[in-house]
Structure formats: structure tokens, C-alpha cells
Amino acid sequence: MTLEDHVRAIEAAIQEAADDGFYLDNGESNGIRTLELNHVDDYGAPLNWETLTLPYNPMD
């Protein structure tokens, strides 16, 4: 799978969870508005990234 394919799969899973009433937070009960999936090299340096589109989160 490509980076973009992984992003779309993660977005779909997060949307399905939101449809069932489950939402992501930052550990302090604040809704997460942005996530990025990073492709990194063997040294931990980012090569490329994609920003995920997240559903509305009522915890915002």
C-alpha cells in the first residue's frame, strides 16, 4: 500500500468509529483536529507525509 492508501484506510476507520459514537482525544479530553501520517527513513527523518481528514468531534 502507498502512503495515500494507508491514509484513506485510517480515515475510513476513524469515520466508522465516529459514526458509532467513538472519538479520538489527546489524553486530556480535548478532541483531536489534525493527524498526519509520516513516511520516515531508517534514521527517523520524514520523507513524506499526508494530513488526515477527521470527522467532526463533539469534544472540540
Side-chain angles (χ1 to χ4, degrees):
M1 289 176 70
T2 67
L3 174 64
E4 293 80 8
D5 292 336
H6 282 289
V7 167
R8 300 293 90 78
I10 293 167
E11 286 175 338
I14 292 171
Q15 182 62 59
E16 288 179 25
D19 291 344
D20 290 336
F22 300 101
Y23 299 94
L24 296 169
D25 74 38
N26 67 353
E28 297 180 7
S29 298
N30 298 314
I32 295 176
R33 298 176 188 223
T34 304
L35 285 177
E36 290 183 346
L37 184 63
N38 300 287
H39 178 203
V40 298
D41 65 17
D42 293 337
Y43 305 101
L47 300 171
N48 196 4
W49 62 89
E50 288 282 327
T51 301
L52 284 78
T53 301
L54 302 178
Y56 167 77
N57 189 331
M59 297 176 73
D60 287 342

